[in-house]
Amino acid sequence: MQHPTTIRLDQDTVIRLDEIAAATDSTRAAVIKEAVEQFLAYDAWFRLKVKQGLDAAREGRVVSHDEAKDRMRTLGIALE
């Protein structure tokens, strides 16, 4: 069951939503619904990753700063 809700957006945001809706042959409401769903999925993922990181830190499963930099370098990431 869907529940209606109301939000207030500035004109520029509405224009951008309408542009996306037109480009995707969709509606403003559908674009907003998809954006909210994507945000909620990302937020759940982010909170889980933060919890996993905090749990790892509490359990001592961490690496030193230098080791982290070394691992990044092995991935081809240039540092300093």
Side-chain angles (χ1 to χ4, degrees), residues 16-29:
R16 291 169 60 200
L17 287 167
D18 288 344
E19 288 171 351
I20 294 169
T24 59
D25 194 30
S26 190
T27 64
R28 184 189 303 161

Side-chain angles (χ1 to χ4, degrees), residues 7 9-11 13-22 24-36:
I7 60 171
L9 303 169
D10 61 74
Q11 184 177 3
T13 301
V14 172
I15 290 169
R16 291 169 60 200
L17 287 167
D18 288 344
E19 288 171 351
I20 294 169
T24 59
D25 194 30
S26 190
T27 64
R28 184 189 303 161
V31 172
I32 293 169
K33 184 175 183 280
E34 182 179 344
V36 169

Side-chain angles (χ1 to χ4, degrees), residues 45-59 61:
W45 171 85
F46 181 82
R47 290 173 185 271
L48 174 64
K49 294 302 178 182
V50 168
K51 181 184 179 316
Q52 289 173 341
L54 292 172
D55 289 346
R58 275 192 286 277
E59 295 166 9
R61 294 182 287 120

